[in-house]
Amino acid sequence: MSRSRVFLFTALAMIAFAGNSLLCRAALKQTRIDAATFTLIRIVSGALCLGIIVQIRKGTLHNAGSWLSALALFGYAALFSFAYLRLTAGTGALLLFGAVQATMIFWALRKGERLDAKQLMGLLLAVAGLVALVFPGLTAPPLGAALLMLGAGIAWGVYSLRGKGGGDPLRATAGNFLHAVPLAVLLSLVMLRSSNFDRAGIGYAVASGALASGIGYAIWYTALPALKASGAATVQLSVPVLAAAGGIALLGEPITLRFVIASIAVLGGIALVLFERRTAAS
């Protein structure tokens, strides 16, 4: 694949990932759909879209995915939706991807990897940025919603770790989405009394599942083999910036000095860890 196509596919994938935050926030802010119903429609539409893509590629979903990975995927999607009831798009994306990267870094440490002084400083800087973002104050996001989004990030980090080296990632993701459907149905049944939706909310949920998740993942997995591991991890740090910009431009959300400072600390700290790891490996 040419460099220009890798760049284009990577950029489109990051826009799709940021789009998930924007679509979820727009649905829960501007329509009547509830978080559980949004999660159900997102997962079902994602499973259908990914299943069709796998079939087009002459693949099969037989024995694809696993229940443990599906549980992590469902946990991410559900916590993600409920967190966005009270978070802005940019703040939610920053908490999400900060928690994802932190989870994967801490797992690497647990498996025996060691950080040098600069990497340790980067990790501490990223953690300090997240703490500063959620620390009580006039511009701090609601603590409960922030904790839900951090939980979503941990779940996505676990899902990503379980998927490493697991064969065809697109087929595995399609299988995991399919396994997550009954879990989303169960959540909707539990929350049935508070369920609500309208045409616009359903449209946002389908777009999040089929386009931002299904097609977004397909594009990402097309570009992924051409990217180094550190580059693939680092490029995802652009998502909170894209989500914040979209939230300001499309949803009229404000940007605060606290968010800017926390973003610099979290993204800069994680990038320092990843760039140092790439340098050490080269």
Side-chain angles (χ1 to χ4, degrees):
M1 186 185 300
S2 66
R3 288 187 178 182
S4 59
R5 289 188 67 188
V6 171
F7 176 82
L8 176 61
F9 284 3
T10 301
L12 288 174
M14 294 306 102
I15 292 171
F17 292 168
N20 263 327
S21 292
L22 295 173
L23 289 166
C24 183
R25 178 58 177 160
L28 297 175
K29 179 182 180 182
Q30 299 175 357
T31 78
R32 297 201 309 271
I33 196 168
D34 64 286
T37 302
F38 181 92
T39 301
L40 173 62
I41 296 174
R42 178 188 177 189
I43 289 178
V44 170
S45 58
L48 288 172
C49 181
L50 286 164
I52 291 171
I53 294 173
V54 170
Q55 292 295 324
I56 290 174
R57 292 187 173 187
K58 309 298 183 183
T60 174
L61 293 180
H62 180 65
N63 291 330
S66 72
W67 283 107
L68 284 178
S69 292
L71 180 61
L73 174 64
F74 165 74
Y76 147 73
L79 293 172
F80 178 93
S81 298
F82 281 95
Y84 265 129
L85 287 170
R86 301 185 67 190
L87 293 177
T88 63
T91 299
L94 178 63
L95 290 167
L96 176 70
F97 280 87
V100 170
Q101 298 293 347
T103 299
M104 299 183 77
I105 290 170
F106 278 118
W107 177 256
L109 291 174
R110 186 176 181 274
K111 298 296 288 185
E113 292 190 25
R114 293 291 178 263
L115 300 181
D116 61 24
K118 288 184 179 180
Q119 289 176 306
L120 182 60
M121 182 178 67
L123 181 59
L124 293 176
L125 181 62
V127 172
L130 287 176
V131 172
L133 180 65
V134 301
F135 195 78
L138 293 178
T139 59
L143 182 59
L147 291 176
L148 287 176
M149 190 59 84
L150 290 173
I154 293 171
W156 186 254
V158 170
Y159 178 79
S160 299
L161 288 167
R162 284 188 54 81
K164 291 183 68 175
D168 181 357
L170 182 61
R171 179 175 171 274
T173 301
N176 290 331
F177 262 83
L178 188 61
H179 281 78
V181 169
L183 300 176
V185 170
L186 180 60
L187 174 65
S188 292
L189 290 176
V190 171
M191 304 293 294
L192 187 61
R193 290 188 176 182
S194 60
S195 65
N196 205 352
F197 57 88
D198 54 19
R199 187 176 300 176
I202 292 173
Y204 281 129
V206 170
S208 175
L211 300 179
S213 296
I215 295 179
Y217 293 153
I219 293 172
W220 176 236
Y221 292 136
T222 300
L224 197 57
L227 295 173
K228 294 182 178 179
S230 56
T234 304
V235 74
Q236 295 182 67
L237 301 182
S238 65
V239 175
V241 178
L242 293 172
I248 295 167
L250 302 176
L251 304 179
E253 295 178 345
I255 187 167
T256 65
L257 180 61
R258 182 196 289 246
F259 174 78
V260 172
I261 294 174
S263 297
I264 293 172
V266 173
L267 303 184
I270 293 173
L272 183 60
V273 174
L274 295 173
F275 281 134
E276 283 297 311
R277 182 178 297 171
R278 180 178 64 179
T279 302
S282 62

